[in-house]
Structures are given as C-alpha cells and as structure tokens.
Amino acid sequence: MAKSPDPSNSTTSAADAPKRGLFSRKPKEAKAKKPSQLKQIGEVFKMTRRNDPIVVWLMLLAFLGVIAVSLVVGLLLNNWVTGLIIGIPLGLLAAVFILSRRAERAAFAQIENQPGASGAALGTLRRGWITEDQPVAVNPRTQDAVFRAIGRPGVVLVSEGPSHRVKPLVDAERKKLARILPNVTIHVIESGRGEGQVPISQIAKTMNKYKNELTKVEVGAVSKRISSLGNRLPIPKGIDPYKARPDRKAARGR
C-alpha cells in the first residue's frame, strides 16, 4: 500500500528553501552562450569553401607570402627569428582578410536573383546610412520591389526586377519623395547584371561613392520627415510582402 507523503517533511523542505527578500532581485537566468570567434570563423570557412573551393589556396598563398616577405626583411636585418615571429600573425591576418572578402562574395552569390536580395545588400552598408528591412514599394504578382536608404548623399532607391517592369514603382516613389523633399537628391540604382544595372555585391560600394550633400543632422531630419508620412505599404512586421495577394472577394464587391 502506497504511503501518503509526510506533511512534516514538506514543511521542513519549504523552510530550508532560501527566502527572497521583498525588494531583492530575481535570480538572473543563464544566458545562452554565443559561439566562440574561432567557431564562427570555422563556419564561415566551411560555407565559403562549398561555394568557392579556390579560397583555400588563396588563403595559403597569402599566409606563406607574408611570412616569406617577413623572413626576407629579417635576413636583411640579420634577425630572421624576429621576422618569423612577426610574419606568422601577419600571415594569419592576411588569410582571414582573404576569407572575409571571399565569404562576402559567396554569400551574395547564394542570394542573388532571390526576392529581397537588394534589401540584404543594403544591410552591408557602413554607419551613416538609415535603411529599412521592408521594401517601400512592391508588386506582389511579379515580386518586383523598391528598397530605400537615407544617407549623407541623399535618398537612394534600389530597384529589384527588370527595368521596364519595375520602372513604374521607382517613378512613383521618386515623385512622392521629390514632393516632400524638393531639395534632397534622389539616386536610383537598378540591381542586376543587365546593362546599366549594378550587381548586389557592388550596391554598397556604389552608394558609398556618392558625394555627400547632407549633414548628419539633416539626414536625421530627412528620415523623420519620411517616417512621419508613413509607408505606402501597410505591411505588419513578420509578414513577407512577396506573399501578399489581393483580396478577390473585395475586388468582386467593387
């Protein structure tokens, strides 16, 4: 026959439990450990090697080349040991630099020709640019889209889709911005590999070449002016704009 729990034992265990004061803080939950930097480099290396097998030889060439130069300089100074000690970390740094450049190229190659690739390219911009995760204009049927960035060169619209098809979206957005920002330059970049288009891997580089025309304060003012008008697309966060479809029942009712 099963024994009933002893109430005295439960009372004792409750009394032994540490009490928390009225104003004491709750114990902090253990945070999930982030992967180490070496592990992150290893994952980047595996991803890059799958898409760019030649990266291994380029990294090795950079590593050995820097060490060779350091040894030559050390021999000229009659101190090759110091040259070797300096050359090894510099060689590792050169190899990591080659890896980062090739990894960025491999990442762009994976997302090229996919919806939202231009928006991802804007995410690689350096500080000083204000970008948006969602497109400011999109055609759900053709998946053509227009992304926007605000910086010291002005406002940049990046289109995604064939030129003849996405042009109405770009023109409409440019007219709206010109109406509220008459003295701000509006640049347009067509992403792609066609004539007059810019590959997504070169979008950030192209934008950084534009001449600065606004101050940091003016950039913030332009961003607030655009935000105050709201986005033309009523897209809640977490909703994929490319999966949006028109309401057929509402259309029939009209």
Side-chain angles (χ1 to χ4, degrees), residues 201-216:
S201 60
Q202 299 295 322
I203 289 178
K205 185 177 180 180
T206 302
M207 293 173 61
N208 288 324
K209 288 182 178 180
Y210 290 145
K211 183 180 178 181
N212 293 336
E213 300 180 4
L214 304 176
T215 64
K216 293 181 179 180

Side-chain angles (χ1 to χ4, degrees), residues 70-131:
S70 300
L71 281 176
V72 170
V73 175
L75 290 173
L76 293 175
L77 299 177
N78 295 324
N79 194 350
W80 66 270
V81 176
T82 302
L84 183 61
I85 294 175
I86 296 176
I88 291 177
L90 290 179
L92 291 173
L93 185 62
V96 172
F97 176 77
I98 294 295
L99 175 62
S100 64
R101 297 301 297 269
R102 306 294 289 196
E104 183 178 356
R105 184 179 300 180
F108 279 125
Q110 286 184 339
I111 66 173
E112 192 170 10
N113 298 326
Q114 293 185 9
S118 300
L122 294 180
T124 63
L125 287 168
R126 299 177 182 176
R127 294 180 179 179
W129 289 93
I130 301 175
T131 60

Side-chain angles (χ1 to χ4, degrees), residues 45 48-49 52-60 98-99 102-103:
F45 174 76
T48 309
R49 188 179 181 183
D52 188 9
I54 198 176
V55 68
V56 180
W57 300 105
L58 293 176
M59 292 175 63
L60 183 61
I98 294 295
L99 175 62
R102 306 294 289 196

Side-chain angles (χ1 to χ4, degrees), residues 152-175:
R152 295 192 62 185
V155 180
V156 180
L157 300 177
V158 181
S159 66
E160 185 175 274
S163 301
H164 66 280
R165 207 169 60 192
V166 77
K167 190 176 183 299
L169 292 177
V170 176
D171 291 342
E173 188 65 24
R174 180 162 33 182
K175 289 179 181 178

Side-chain angles (χ1 to χ4, degrees), residues 231-249:
N231 193 350
R232 187 174 62 180
L233 294 176
I235 304 174
K237 292 185 177 180
I239 301 299
D240 187 354
Y242 299 105
K243 294 181 180 179
R245 292 292 183 272
D247 190 350
R248 296 183 178 179
K249 294 182 179 180

